[in-house]
Structures are given as structure tokens and as C-alpha cells.
Amino acid sequence: EAQVTQNPRYLITVTGKKLTVTCSQNMNHEYMSWYRQDPGLGLRQIYYSMNVEVTDKGDVPEGYKVSRKEKRNFPLILESPSPNQTSLYFCASSLSRDRGHEQYFGPGTRLTVT
Amino acid sequence: AQSVAQPEDQVNVAEGNPLTVKCTYSVSGNPYLFWYVQYPNRGLQFLLKYITGDNLVKGSYGFEAEFNKSQTSFHLKKPSALVSDSALYFCAVGRGTSGTYKYIFGTGTRLKVLA
């Protein structure tokens, strides 16, 4: 089954404790992206990657890191999480860098930072 | 500044009635426009997109959207609403130049279809 998977689905952590949210897709997609969803703000793009070893900032990159060492994986790293990073996070992928392609979304990761 | 606006936080409609969820955009160049739907505790699912061509785009589950360049709008429509259409709907636009591109999403509109 074609899908985007994220782990963990739920995470409660404390301020300053480094964490990684994994994202993997099995569709051989070139483009991958991370978003955060907050009430009243919709989805905001954190980082995106157009291919292996090619990443760039979205609109809200502060406090996050990403890497794209393999085509299928695009982990999101929070080096020192803070309470304002409490949010619902989505990973997405699309076929290519052509911006006409729709995105496929993972099920989401709900992160709480205390 | 480039943006996407969904002016209604919530839309209520009776089952069987037509529904419209509004979206307007402000981007430079030709826009690539999308609608996604989010059901409770799920990720977003693609509904339809406008790239070029016919201004009326048909998508999944009987939804359609009309691209209006002069009004910079891309409203989502369905002739007859179902209770199962109740969900959160997002309009999005792809933006960027060669080599880079990003997406802007609206704030979402919650659709409630009443039996």
C-alpha cells in the first residue's frame, strides 16, 4: 500500500530533550515536506526537500532541523524542544519537484513539550 | 505578501443542499491551487487541483472547484452535501520559481453537514 508513515504518533517530552520524528514514504517520491498544524493558523511549512541531500527552509524553520540522506526518509529533529513547539506535525510527499503534483500526508504526530 | 485566505471558520449546511467553501489567494505568477480534506485524527487527503485549462475542476467524492482568475478565488463546491462530508477543509497554493517551491495553506474551514 502506498503510504507515508510517521513515528511516533504521540509524544510527550520535556523542554530541552532532543527528539526525532521519523517520516518514510514508499512511493519513490522526490519531494518531501514537514508541516505543523496549530488551531487558527492552519498548516505551516517547516522544511522541505526536493531530493536527496537537497533541503530548504519553509515559513517556520526556527528550532527545527531536517536531513535527507535517503530518498524515502525525511526525519524532523528538534535539538532543544520548547513549549511553543507543542503542535500536530505532518510529513508529506509528492511525486516530483513540479509544484503541480499533489501531496500525500502521513497520519500526524502530536507533540507536547512541557 | 503571498497568502491564502479561507474567510469562514465554519460552514453549516443541511444534508442534500449545495455547499460552498470559499478560498481566495494572493500569489505572484500562475497559481497551482489545491483542496485537501482532513477527517478527525487523520492526515490530509487530496481532493482536487487546478493547474491550467478548464476553470471548473472535478475531484474526489463529488467535489468540484471553480478557478476565477479575476477574483483570485478557488471555491470548493458540491451539489448535494452528505453528513459524511463533515470535516476540515484546507485550500493550498504551490508557489516558487525554478529550483525551489513551497506551499501555503489556508487556516481551514470546518464543514458541518446537518442531517
Side-chain angles (χ1 to χ4, degrees):
Chain A
E1 179 189 357
Q3 60 183 347
V4 178
T5 57
Q6 295 178 229
N7 282 292
R9 295 288 312 278
Y10 301 90
L11 180 59
I12 301 174
T13 190
V14 296
T15 299
K17 186 176 181 181
K18 181 179 178 180
L19 66 91
T20 299
V21 184
T22 64
C23 172
S24 183
Q25 50 92 5
N26 62 0
M27 296 169 280
N28 201 36
H29 284 174
E30 284 188 345
Y31 185 90
M32 296 187 74
S33 183
W34 276 102
Y35 298 87
R36 59 178 290 173
Q37 181 180 6
D38 301 289
L41 297 177
L43 272 76
R44 294 178 292 168
Q45 195 167 24
I46 303 171
Y47 269 95
Y48 65 96
S49 169
M50 291 189 291
N51 214 325
V52 176
E53 302 291 2
V54 182
T55 63
D56 206 347
K57 297 177 180 178
D59 290 325
V60 289
E62 295 78 20
Y64 305 95
K65 285 176 58 177
V66 293
S67 67
R68 186 97 180 270
K69 292 184 169 55
E70 304 166 285
K71 198 171 187 179
R72 63 183 296 131
N73 296 324
F74 190 47
L76 179 70
I77 303 160
L78 284 71
E79 295 266 2
S80 182
S82 62
N84 64 13
Q85 293 178 298
T86 292
S87 187
L88 179 59
Y89 291 87
F90 288 102
C91 180
S93 71
S94 65
L95 181 61
S96 77
R97 62 186 66 195
D98 181 344
R99 58 194 175 107
H101 287 294
E102 63 270 21
Q103 295 179 84
Y104 293 76
F105 284 80
T109 295
R110 187 168 293 280
L111 172 65
T112 302
V113 184
T114 61
Chain B
Q2 302 185 86
S3 63
V4 173
Q6 292 181 244
E8 301 155 319
D9 290 336
Q10 183 163 315
V11 170
N12 295 327
V13 63
E15 187 175 31
N17 283 2
L19 69 88
T20 299
V21 183
K22 296 179 181 177
C23 173
T24 59
Y25 64 90
S26 174
V27 296
S28 54
N30 293 322
Y32 288 5
L33 296 159
F34 303 83
W35 276 103
Y36 291 87
V37 59
Q38 184 181 30
Y39 297 102
N41 300 314
R42 302 283 296 276
L44 279 71
Q45 298 176 32
F46 169 73
L47 275 180
L48 50 79
K49 65 183 176 183
Y50 172 82
I51 306 301
T52 187
D54 195 347
N55 289 344
L56 185 64
V57 178
K58 294 188 183 297
S60 307
Y61 313 121
F63 283 93
E64 57 190 29
E66 186 168 11
F67 172 66
N68 188 317
K69 188 172 184 178
S70 63
Q71 297 186 4
T72 61
S73 67
F74 188 55
H75 300 332
L76 182 69
K77 301 181 180 184
K78 188 174 182 182
S80 179
L82 300 172
V83 172
S84 57
D85 293 330
S86 298
L88 186 57
Y89 291 81
F90 289 98
C91 180
V93 62
R95 58 178 176 142
T97 57
S98 60
T100 66
Y101 68 103
K102 304 179 183 180
Y103 289 92
I104 310 174
F105 280 75
T107 52
T109 298
R110 188 165 300 281
L111 173 66
K112 284 195 173 182
V113 181
L114 308 170

